[in-house]
Amino acid sequence: MTNPIADPLVEITDTDAESRLVDIDATLEGVATVTLNRAIRRNAFNAELIAALHEAFETLQGAEGVRVVFLRGAGSTFSAGADLDWMREAADRNEADNRDDAMLLARMLKSLWDIPALTVALVEGGAYGGGAGLAAACDMAVATADAKFSFSEVRLGLIAATISPYVVQAVGPREARALFATGKVFDAAYAEKVGLVSEVVADGAQLTEARDRIAQDMMACGPEAVAQSKKLVEDVAYRPVEDVMEETARRIARIRVSPEGQEGVRAFLEKRKPNWQI
């Protein structure tokens, strides 16, 4: 298909507020950055932002040439979680309406999870509730040292339900139970310790440096191999080795004879760069 993000900036617009809720910025090299653009509300979720993010992530799923996707928040906060006005509306809805509302968030997170390129959350300030869930749904997260995290739903008498699959994948069941049950605020160092964050940097300037380094690293990787590697982990995780031996052998055989696999091996043997490496 044609690349729907070929233009330098694709705007997904909140027509009621006449302001961009989400920006997608993409370079010709295939580095895409998705920015939550509700800085005045600390990038908190409402129905409109969730819908805009869902659309952005689905766009990136089908976009050709995307090698890495960064997710960040405008202003000084990654995401404060649920918007207060949105929470007030939810409190007045019945169970069926709340279920439909929650499914919008669940589908948005799954659309992020399903992006074939590497996804990286760049966390500054706070990542609370659903905001921390966004970071967990990315393949990796880099945070500034002063970033704060919390799964604070329990302190409102709620549970971290729709984000739970991604958080449990990131930190494991035992740590997830502790974080969900206490709702405590924790720092970037602790987030790195438990696996929610992959790397901690000193400040915003170093976060930009980390972004550029990761983007450069991804240029050396075969795009199809990246997508297949992500799928491989999902398919073999927590399964007995004997149950996946034949399938893993089939997968490596298939990719060895694929155009990308052939090009990568031949380039290595011929001491040249593969055709995807800029």
Side-chain angles (χ1 to χ4, degrees):
M1 62 180 291
T2 58
N3 187 350
I5 60 168
D7 294 333
L9 183 66
V10 174
E11 298 176 356
I12 297 176
T13 305
D14 175 4
T15 54
D16 294 331
E18 297 184 345
S19 62
R20 296 188 305 273
L21 290 174
V22 171
D23 287 340
I24 307 179
D25 178 70
T27 70
L28 294 176
E29 293 77 22
V31 179
T33 302
V34 177
T35 303
L36 285 67
N37 200 24
R38 294 191 80 211
I40 195 170
R41 292 294 187 102
R42 299 171 63 214
N43 300 311
F45 292 163
N46 62 6
E48 292 76 21
L49 178 59
I50 290 169
L53 284 169
H54 190 184
E55 184 179 347
F57 297 149
E58 288 203 326
T59 296
L60 290 165
Q61 284 181 33
E64 293 179 0
V66 174
R67 310 287 292 276
V68 58
V69 176
F70 294 100
L71 180 63
R72 68 186 317 164
S76 60
T77 301
F78 181 73
S79 175
D83 182 275
L84 292 178
D85 291 337
W86 187 48
M87 291 175 64
R88 289 189 191 97
E89 292 173 7
D92 293 332
R93 295 192 182 105
N94 60 32
E95 183 175 345
D97 289 341
N98 267 287
R99 184 172 59 248
D100 292 342
D101 199 45
M103 278 302 300
L104 296 176
L105 178 57
R107 292 189 184 102
M108 180 271 283
L109 292 166
K110 183 62 162 55
S111 67
L112 170 59
W113 181 260
D114 286 342
I115 292 173
L118 184 80
T119 55
V120 185
L122 301 174
V123 181
E124 294 182 86
Y128 304 109
L134 267 183
C138 289
D139 299 317
M140 59 185 295
V142 183
T144 55
D146 61 353
K148 302 295 183 185
F149 300 81
S150 177
F151 301 102
S152 52
E153 288 86 349
V154 70
R155 299 196 175 196
L156 302 175
L158 305 174
I159 58 174
T162 51
I163 64 174
S164 62
Y166 312 102
V167 179
V168 173
Q169 287 263 8
V171 306
R174 188 182 188 205
E175 191 62 44
R177 283 196 295 269
L179 294 177
F180 287 172
T182 63
K184 71 175 184 178
V185 177
F186 53 100
D187 62 16
Y190 191 84
E192 183 180 30
K193 177 182 176 181
V194 300
L196 183 62
V197 163
S198 312
E199 181 180 352
V200 177
V201 297
D203 51 29
Q206 288 196 9
L207 193 65
T208 298
E209 292 175 5
R211 179 201 65 193
D212 294 344
R213 168 172 41 82
I214 293 167
Q216 186 61 41
D217 287 346
M218 293 311 297
M219 296 302 109
C221 304
E224 183 60 26
V226 171
Q228 291 298 323
S229 294
K230 290 176 58 169
K231 185 69 166 60
L232 177 66
V233 173
E234 186 172 355
D235 291 345
V236 305
Y238 307 118
R239 294 179 61 190
V241 172
E242 57 270 20
D243 289 356
V244 297
M245 288 171 58
E246 289 190 13
E247 175 57 24
T248 56
R250 279 195 293 269
R251 291 194 189 195
I252 185 59
R254 188 182 309 126
I255 206 159
R256 281 175 180 168
V257 299
S258 70
E260 186 174 283
Q262 290 278 299
E263 167 63 13
V265 173
R266 293 186 189 282
F268 176 77
L269 295 174
E270 295 167 8
K271 296 180 171 55
R272 61 174 175 83
K273 292 182 179 180
N275 56 18
W276 62 76
Q277 189 170 347
I278 299 170

